[in-house]
Every structure is written in C-alpha cells, then in structure tokens.
Amino acid sequence: MQVDIGNALSDVARPGVSEGALERLDERVARVHERIERGMADDEFGYAALNLPETTDATEIREAVEPLTDADHVLTVGIGGSALGAVTVSRALGLDGHAVLDNVDPAETRRVLDALPLADTAVHVVSKSGTTAETLANFLVVREAMTEAGVDWTERTVVTTGADGPLRAAAETEGLPALDVPEGVPGRFAALSTVGLVPAAILGGDVEGVLVGGRAARESLALSLFDSPAYAYGAVCYALENRGATTNAVMPYLESLEPFAEWFAQLWAESLGKDGLGQTPVRALGATDQHSQLQLYRAGRHDKLVTLVQSSERPDVPIPETDVAGLAYLGDGETTLGDLVDAEFAATEASLAAAGQPNVRLTVDPTPEGVGELLVAMEAACILVGELHGVETFTQPAVEWGKRAARGLLGGGEFEEADAVAEKRRLVVE
C-alpha cells in the first residue's frame, strides 16, 4: 500500500500541515509506536487486533466451514463489527453471493430472505456476547424461514461467538460448527479473524492471502511516519483534525471497496469519537459522487479531509468505437473504462488541490494480500490517532448506553438508561 500525503501539506491545502510540523509530530509517533509494540507483545486488549494476521488459524476456519462449501450464497447475521468486516473482505476479493442481515428493518429482512435460495445458502451467525438483540432476533427469523422452505437450518449454519452465552449454548445443543471470537479484540477490529473471514472461506476466497497481507502491514509499522504508510496516514489525519479538518470523506474509486468505506466509518467513529474529539467519517464512491458530494468537498467549508482510494491495477473494458460527434474522444477504439475512471480520479484529486482542500491518496493492490494490508494499516492508523489524542480507542461507552436503553424498553432487564426515553423533550409539528 502506498500513501501520498502531498496534497495535505500546508503549501497546497488549508487547513494543511507543514513538513516541519510533521517532523515534530514524528517524535510523538515514535513513542506511540513503542506503546503499540508493547501492547502487541503483551496481547493487551485492543492492541491484540494487530496480532490477528499471526494468530488467526485459516486451517481451523476452513475445517469448520467445509460442510458448507457447497453453498453458492452466504448470509451473515450480525451487526456492526460482526458484519462489516466480513462484507468488506468478501466484496474486496470479488466474491459474489454474500448477503447480510445487519439491521432489524422488517421490510429489508423479508427482502433479503425472499431473494436468497435458502437451500443453497450457508448462514454465518456472529455475536461475541451471544446476546446481541438484533442478531438473535434475525437469526430466529432466518431459522423459521429455512424451516418453512423445507431446509434443515442446523445443516446450513456456522456460529462465531464467545465461550459463553445463548448462541454458544444453541450451537452446542444443535451440534452446529462453532468458532471462537478472538479474545481481546473489539468487533470493529476483527475483520482478519473468524469474524470476518468465514464467508470468504465458504465462497472459496483466498483468506490465507488476506492474512499474509495483514502481516505485511504489521511489519511495515516503524518508528517514523515517513517509513510507515499506516502511520503517515494516521498522523496526517490527526494533524489536520487539530487544524480544523473535522470530517474525513473516504472515497474509493472501486465498487469492490465501497463496503470498505462503511467499515472505515465504524472503525473511525466508534474508536475516536470521544471526549469531544474525532473526525466524522463520510462515505463516498468515485466516480459516482463526483456528480454530487464533490461539490461540497471542493467548494464548501474547509473543514474536510478527502481520502481518495485507487487500485494499482484493474481488469479493463474497452469502450466501443463510435461515429457520434462529440464522443470520438471516448469511442476511439483505444480508450477503456479504466482510462476513464483513472482520468476522473486524477481530475478529482487536482480539483480538490486547486481549491486548497486537503486530500490524501491511498493506492492499494487489488489482491487478497492487498486487502489484508489495507485493513490492518487502517487499524494501525486508527490506534495511532487514538494514542495521539489520548482517548480510549478500544471502548465504546456511548454505544453501550444505547444498547442498555433498548434492552430495557424491550423488557430485558432494569436499566436506568431506558428511563431517559420517557423524558424526551417534545415539540411536535403536524
């Protein structure tokens, strides 16, 4: 992976960061790197995520899912980090047939189930606690739908969960293959584990290659941001946030990486949104959003960093020749769709720079190794930013507050957070 931070420097952008400021910040990066290395060496909570490329056992995953590899479709039932990483990996690997239930919108749940050939679908249920309300509710709906379709759901289901809880108990009772959620790893950091790799393994993806790429990213971490793409990206994000770029718009120019932007949004928001700090992540897609969001990114407030993601290579499609006036520059028999998207990427990048809007270019390899490298690099960048800010990167107290409130409203226990619902201030206009 390569990171180009040139368009985030102060002689190009405002806000921008000078090379001198980055050199001063590099002293802090070195100290943080030493802290991260200690955390990895001791397998501390959160830092253990960066060990997953080494500790995840691809053979164990393949053995667990082997009875399901005849399926052409996989349905992940999970939410947040229990689903986003898996979708990101499978889509980035170009694997078709991966659906997800990561919400409890009844209409969407019904649409997904109606669209799937359930007899040809493997189900992967993911919940670390085994008590996640949305996941368990959807799983019960899926079980019923499969039974009504004449499918033995126990023969089509694999579970990833903690050592205890209702989901583990159900797996043991029904004889389901069950994998362990990695210890000490928050869900949003668990893409390179059983949590994120099971669907890809069922669909025949190269999960071993993903882990190899993750190891490469880990090995590229260094004492200096100028020697580490992950730290270079994290340090620039931190510096620009302190200078007013409180939004980070992530814009991949590959459809296969559109889920990556969603995964990144959870990683960045849930990890760094604390103590009045944290960039707000925004999801965009190139070249589609050049025709919409780019208007704001170029001509709006100077409070944004745009992260542009491109592939180092891609399969291509030639644009057919045409005699239509005005289209000869496209249909000349030589230009391809790849040429067009590359030109649009370059134009967007130059457009932002010309307007003084900071942007960073990430160039990734379109291989399993490249996918693993990208995900681990972004995790390391996130941890770096959290350390520089001095926040608790691996916790999510605001998320847990909402979970307790919802559980209390549904009769799942006495939670004072649920009382706040009745205290809502109202000003209704009809």
Side-chain angles (χ1 to χ4, degrees):
M1 188 184 80
Q2 184 184 81
V3 176
D4 183 350
I5 60 176
N7 280 350
L9 297 177
S10 55
D11 59 351
V12 175
R14 57 184 197 283
V17 56
S18 69
E19 292 187 60
L22 285 176
E23 290 170 358
R24 291 189 293 275
L25 180 59
D26 203 31
E27 297 176 8
R28 295 182 60 196
V29 170
R31 292 194 294 272
V32 169
H33 173 66
E34 291 174 346
R35 171 68 185 98
I36 291 173
E37 282 201 318
R38 289 197 305 274
M40 291 165 56
D42 296 338
D43 230 19
E44 289 183 47
F45 179 76
Y47 302 97
L50 298 181
N51 292 333
L52 288 177
E54 294 285 352
T55 59
T56 297
D57 187 342
T59 300
E60 179 188 32
I61 293 173
R62 291 209 181 275
E63 289 176 351
V65 305
E66 196 280 330
L68 304 173
T69 52
D70 61 333
D72 290 328
H73 300 266
V74 176
L75 175 61
T76 291
V77 183
I79 195 166
S82 295
L84 289 174
V87 175
T88 298
V89 170
S90 62
R91 281 285 301 280
L93 293 181
L95 302 172
D96 296 324
H98 187 188
V100 63
L101 285 178
D102 61 348
N103 206 336
V104 286
D105 179 339
E108 177 64 6
T109 298
R110 179 50 55 199
R111 186 199 67 78
V112 170
L113 292 176
D114 287 347
L116 284 171
L118 296 179
D120 191 32
T121 298
V123 178
H124 182 215
V125 189
V126 189
S127 170
K128 181 176 183 178
S129 66
T131 62
T132 309
E134 298 91 341
T135 299
L136 295 183
N138 273 331
F139 181 37
L140 293 174
V141 172
V142 171
R143 282 172 43 171
E144 182 178 58
M146 297 187 91
T147 299
E148 290 177 350
V151 179
D152 185 348
W153 64 268
T154 66
E155 295 182 354
R156 311 302 297 165
T157 302
V158 58
V159 166
T160 297
T161 189
D164 303 302
L167 197 53
R168 176 66 67 173
E172 292 173 352
T173 299
E174 302 293 346
L176 308 178
L179 291 159
D180 295 328
V181 168
E183 289 292 328
V185 178
R188 59 191 178 276
F189 286 89
L192 267 68
S193 75
T194 52
V195 173
L197 299 180
V198 164
I202 294 173
L203 294 171
D206 183 3
V207 297
E208 292 83 0
V210 174
L211 293 171
V212 168
R215 288 194 287 274
R218 209 178 68 138
E219 291 164 3
S220 73
L221 301 179
L223 284 167
S224 171
L225 70 90
F226 297 104
D227 296 324
S228 170
Y231 287 166
Y233 181 72
V236 166
C237 289
Y238 169 80
L240 290 180
E241 180 187 345
N242 286 343
R243 290 160 173 77
T246 55
T247 295
N248 188 345
V250 177
M251 192 171 183
Y253 272 71
L254 302 89
E255 291 273 352
S256 63
L257 285 185
E258 185 175 14
F260 161 75
E262 190 169 356
W263 171 84
F264 179 92
Q266 182 193 8
L267 178 75
W268 219 244
E270 194 171 359
S271 300
L272 304 175
K274 292 149 191 171
D275 301 337
L277 299 168
Q279 287 177 320
T280 300
V282 175
R283 293 163 280 179
L285 179 65
T288 302
D289 288 315
Q290 287 181 219
H291 298 267
S292 54
Q293 295 181 35
L294 183 60
Q295 176 64 39
L296 174 67
Y297 302 154
R298 188 178 195 276
R301 293 188 179 95
H302 283 251
D303 60 355
K304 288 168 283 295
L305 163 66
V306 181
T307 300
L308 301 166
V309 187
Q310 69 171 178
S311 174
S312 60
E313 58 183 69
R314 72 178 88 239
D316 217 341
V317 175
I319 300 173
E321 291 187 63
T322 179
D323 295 328
V324 177
L327 295 183
Y329 75 102
L330 293 174
D332 59 3
E334 297 180 4
T335 304
T336 67
L337 290 181
D339 294 332
L340 178 57
V341 75
D342 287 344
E344 296 201 82
F345 179 97
T348 296
E349 187 177 52
S351 169
L352 291 167
Q357 297 283 16
N359 60 93
V360 170
R361 180 200 299 182
L362 305 184
T363 304
V364 301
D365 294 329
T367 62
E369 292 78 9
V371 172
E373 185 178 14
L374 173 65
L375 297 183
V376 172
M378 292 301 98
E379 290 175 358
C382 180
I383 295 170
L384 174 76
V385 175
E387 294 287 345
L388 291 172
H389 273 317
V391 300
E392 294 289 340
T393 306
F394 306 115
T395 62
Q396 51 282 332
V399 172
E400 297 303 325
W401 193 101
K403 287 182 180 179
R404 290 191 295 270
R407 190 167 180 179
L409 290 173
L410 292 169
E414 295 293 329
F415 297 95
E416 64 180 21
E417 290 86 354
D419 298 335
V421 176
E423 299 167 3
K424 179 191 178 302
R425 173 72 180 274
R426 298 180 183 276
L427 179 57
V428 179
V429 178
E430 295 183 351

